Amino acid sequence: VDALKIINGPANVDVIYDTNREEVKIIEISARIGATGLPELLLFHTGVDWVKMSLLCFEIKFKKTDLVKKNKSVAAKILYSNKSGLLSSISSNDPKLLSDLTLLEFNCKIGDKVSLLKKGTDRIGSALLASEKDIITTEKDLDKIINSITFGTI
């Protein structure tokens, strides 16, 4: 980040841990907001609007009071198909559970081509759950909700 001279604004750093070599490898460093639910996780966990803060950084207008912590437990997962094809249905065996979600987004609609999950752009959508419960319970609750959703493909 210092070498790229990213002074004001967001910085996205993607790393992966290589278990064979027991070392961290840098995949990407860029002057952008991270994706795949990161802005939403930050918003619901701390109350900080990452997008707004990033824009304000460029104008140098934010104040420390804008960084109010909520510290809720927040869990997020991407939604994906178990096989490639055309998305034919989206259903839940317990639709009432879906109302517990803080955020539910779909990036595809019925009839769109979907692929078996191999990369981030193969996602069908995402689900986020913010809770006053501890993080382990919040993650288990989200898993229960996610497991109630099925995607039909033809």
Side-chain angles (χ1 to χ4, degrees):
V1 173
D2 288 342
L4 294 173
K5 297 186 176 142
I6 300 172
I7 299 166
N8 266 350
N12 181 66
V13 180
D14 290 349
V15 296
I16 191 166
Y17 182 71
D18 183 335
T19 55
N20 295 326
R21 294 186 175 167
E22 295 186 350
E23 64 185 14
V24 175
K25 295 181 179 182
I26 296 172
I27 298 171
E28 171 195 1
I29 300 175
S30 57
R32 67 175 180 87
I33 295 173
T36 317
L38 293 176
E40 294 85 356
L41 284 169
L42 185 66
L43 175 64
F44 290 107
H45 180 64
T46 66
V48 174
D49 184 332
W50 196 354
V51 175
K52 177 183 172 187
M53 289 295 114
S54 297
L55 293 171
L56 291 174
C57 280
F58 289 113
E59 298 178 19
I60 313 174
K61 289 186 176 178
F62 78 95
K63 307 178 244 8
K64 286 186 180 179
T65 55
D66 291 328
L67 303 175
V68 177
K69 286 192 170 192
K70 288 186 181 177
N71 288 324
K72 285 188 172 187
S73 293
V74 182
K77 296 221 174 172
I78 59 172
L79 304 174
Y80 58 91
S81 176
N82 289 323
K83 63 180 186 173
S84 299
L86 295 178
L87 185 62
S88 60
S89 65
I90 302 172
S91 60
S92 173
N93 62 19
D94 191 352
K96 188 176 179 183
L97 281 177
L98 299 179
S99 65
D100 292 339
L101 289 171
T102 307
L103 184 64
L104 177 63
E105 289 182 323
F106 291 103
N107 305 107
C108 299
K109 61 184 182 308
I110 302 299
D112 284 353
K113 182 181 175 191
V114 294
S115 299
L116 180 67
L117 183 67
K118 294 180 183 171
K119 57 190 182 305
T121 55
D122 292 334
R123 70 188 208 160
I124 291 176
S126 61
L128 184 143
L129 180 63
S131 174
E132 299 295 334
K133 299 176 184 176
D134 64 273
I135 189 61
I136 301 296
T137 304
T138 302
E139 288 175 341
K140 285 180 182 177
D141 289 349
L142 180 60
D143 284 341
K144 181 178 178 182
I145 297 168
I146 297 289
N147 291 331
S148 80
I149 302 171
T150 55
F151 300 102
T153 55
I154 52 173

